[in-house]
Amino acid sequence: MSGSGFMCGQNKEIAHKIGRRTVELLGLNKDNIDDIQKVDYEKLYEANTKA
């Protein structure tokens, strides 16, 4: 149940859209997605909230 509640009540399509938009807002793409591990938590949270 790791992470349960974060996307609670949202279907997979909405979760995927939010994830894609978050990645886009961070300036990441399929070629540099591994760099998400270097993103500061606050910046990641902010991008996710905007998404």
Side-chain angles (χ1 to χ4, degrees):
M1 295 212 134
S2 175
S4 67
F6 181 73
M7 300 299 279
C8 185
Q10 295 184 346
N11 67 34
K12 286 184 181 182
E13 184 178 336
I14 292 172
H16 283 268
K17 287 181 181 181
I18 292 170
R20 284 191 298 270
R21 180 67 179 139
T22 299
V23 168
E24 180 182 297
L25 288 169
L26 292 170
L28 301 173
N29 57 52
K30 67 178 183 170
D31 297 324
N32 65 356
I33 192 63
D34 289 340
D35 289 346
I36 199 166
Q37 295 179 30
K38 301 173 189 172
V39 176
D40 178 68
Y41 172 78
E42 291 177 9
K43 186 175 179 182
L44 180 61
Y45 180 80
E46 181 181 322
N48 184 256
T49 301
K50 287 180 181 179

